[in-house]
Amino acid sequence: QVQLVESGGGLVQAGGSLRLSCAASGRTFSSYAMGWFRQAPGKEREFVAAISWSGGNTHYADSVKGRFTISRDNAKNTVYLQMNSLKPEDTAVYYCAAHDVIPSIHTVMVVTTSQDEYDYWGQGTQVTVSS
């Protein structure tokens, strides 16, 4: 099992940047592919970005491609989401999630965008972008 704690959210003006962090504890962090999701008020939670356990593969929602970057540091048990050129429509609670994988040559590039495939979730961190 793994516990996830997000940090780094806050209030920023449009065009600004934030970096979210998600610290993991418990099982070996490299046993998990990781993802970021977000939920805006009155909307369903949606996929933002994902990264394989190795860090060798990433995938982004079209709405954030070119502006957001997901990365991970397995030595620090942390996954990051660098968010640049923020827009008011990026306002949401951001969640990190962990998808259990068996680290191997066969899973080194595995990422998933489906919420149903994630096994563990953090509590979320609020990001508010003002216009």
Side-chain angles (χ1 to χ4, degrees):
Q1 202 169 17
V2 66
Q3 292 77 44
L4 304 173
V5 179
E6 302 96 335
S7 62
L11 174 64
V12 64
Q13 288 188 330
S17 298
L18 282 174
R19 188 175 83 155
L20 305 183
S21 299
C22 174
S25 60
R27 263 188 61 192
T28 305
F29 183 61
S30 58
S31 297
Y32 299 94
M34 301 296 294
W36 286 96
F37 293 78
R38 67 186 182 187
Q39 186 167 21
K43 295 187 177 181
E44 293 187 352
R45 190 161 58 186
E46 63 176 5
F47 168 76
V48 175
I51 189 166
S52 60
W53 69 262
S54 65
N57 191 24
T58 58
H59 187 74
Y60 298 92
D62 288 343
S63 59
V64 307
K65 203 171 292 183
R67 299 188 298 123
F68 290 10
T69 302
I70 188 171
S71 62
R72 66 188 296 160
D73 185 337
N74 286 347
K76 295 183 177 179
N77 294 345
T78 303
V79 62
Y80 304 97
L81 185 67
Q82 178 67 44
M83 305 185 295
N84 298 329
S85 302
L86 282 161
K87 305 175 181 180
E89 51 263 43
D90 294 319
T91 295
V93 177
Y94 283 71
Y95 300 89
C96 73
H99 169 55
D100 201 349
V101 297
I102 299 174
S104 75
I105 191 67
H106 304 293
T107 62
V108 69
M109 300 295 277
V110 168
V111 295
T112 180
T113 64
S114 170
Q115 298 185 48
D116 292 341
E117 295 188 36
Y118 284 87
D119 304 288
Y120 305 99
W121 293 82
Q123 293 300 306
T125 185
Q126 176 71 47
V127 171
T128 303
V129 184
S130 63
S131 56

